[in-house]
Amino acid sequence: GAGVSQSPSNKVTEKGKDVELRCDPISGHTALYWYRQRLGQGLEFLIYFQGNSAPDKSGLPSDRFSAERTGESVSTLTIQRTQQEDSAVYLCASSPAGTGQGFGNTIYFGEGSWLTVV
Amino acid sequence: SQQGEEDPQALSIQEGENATMNCSYKTSINNLQWYRQNSGRGLVHLILIRSNEREKHSGRLRVTLDTSKKSSSLLITASRAADTASYFCATVASGTYKYIFGTGTRLKVLA
């Protein structure tokens, strides 16, 4: 697609329920990132995908959080047994290739999914 | 801890004035980027500066990078009310793929 697409835009869920957040990256982008941003704060790195493998899951806050990606396409971030502290905007971003030595790719963000746990 | 830390945390200026934001980071980097965020939603890329560059311009934006001090600054000249947003620096540590974002500077430009 033209840009990174995330759904839902807004989600209100009851504490203890599971939620799935979806990210559709820009077509052809091999790298995909998930970040979490609490109100008024910076971005916390959650997970990075290169293709459909996740070489770095170090940012996932707990085992209630998981993510998967189908090929170089859609990614889903799942939060099980949601807690109030999970309330945040979850931002997805994609990039043409993995970054590293000598790379200087821009990453392109979606508009985020605002999750409220009540 | 965060790779990038911006200061000030918040900045309020009059339209037409210049706004300067600073970013410090901790490790060697490949590049540093600045992003803008309106209303807590998606971030928009503004400018990228590579580790072997010292200064870069894009329209009303000027970015400097001092790798010896591990710091960068973003200058917005002749600010407009529409520049009101949060600004973040992001760094990619050498040999990694992970973009680490700072805590951001909230800029308010008063008309």
Side-chain angles (χ1 to χ4, degrees), chain A residues 5-65:
Chain A
S5 177
Q6 290 189 246
S7 61
S9 295
N10 293 283
K11 174 75 176 177
V12 179
T13 190
E14 291 182 354
K15 179 180 171 182
K17 297 279 176 102
D18 298 351
V19 295
E20 279 190 357
L21 307 176
R22 175 188 168 107
C23 174
D24 236 309
I26 293 172
S27 179
H29 281 194
T30 58
L32 186 146
Y33 303 79
W34 282 99
Y35 289 87
R36 178 171 73 178
Q37 185 180 30
R38 292 195 169 105
L39 187 64
Q41 298 189 19
L43 278 71
E44 296 174 68
F45 170 83
L46 296 179
I47 188 169
Y48 161 73
F49 284 94
Q50 181 61 31
N52 63 1
S53 68
D56 190 340
K57 305 179 183 179
S58 63
L60 294 177
S62 73
D63 59 8
R64 296 188 295 105
F65 287 72

Side-chain angles (χ1 to χ4, degrees), chain A residues 9 33 35 37 42-43 45 48 56 58 89 91 99-107 109-112, chain B residues 2 30-31 33 35 37 40-43 45 48 50 88 92 95-103 106:
Chain A
S9 295
Y33 303 79
Y35 289 87
Q37 185 180 30
L43 278 71
F45 170 83
Y48 161 73
D56 190 340
S58 63
V89 175
L91 292 160
T99 60
Q101 295 93 341
F103 281 92
N105 288 307
T106 298
I107 55 173
F109 281 85
E111 287 299 302
Chain B
Q2 291 280 357
N30 288 323
N31 66 76
Q33 303 186 31
Y35 286 80
Q37 183 180 41
R41 301 306 288 232
L43 280 74
H45 176 259
L48 179 154
R50 299 186 190 279
F88 294 86
V92 180
T96 76
Y97 44 78
K98 187 189 296 186
Y99 282 88
I100 300 296
F101 285 80
T103 50
R106 294 184 303 281

Side-chain angles (χ1 to χ4, degrees), chain B residues 3 16 32 58 62 69 94 99 103 108-109:
Chain B
Q3 171 81 318
L32 184 144
S58 176
R62 173 179 168 250
K69 295 181 180 177
S94 298
Y99 282 88
T103 50
K108 187 169 186 178
V109 181

Side-chain angles (χ1 to χ4, degrees), chain A residues 65-105:
Chain A
F65 287 72
S66 63
E68 60 180 28
R69 186 180 185 193
T70 307
E72 294 184 355
S73 184
V74 171
S75 175
T76 303
L77 176 69
T78 301
I79 309 172
Q80 295 179 309
R81 304 181 303 281
T82 51
Q83 304 293 314
Q84 287 185 327
E85 64 262 27
D86 299 334
S87 296
V89 175
Y90 290 82
L91 292 160
C92 176
S94 71
S95 176
T99 60
Q101 295 93 341
F103 281 92
N105 288 307

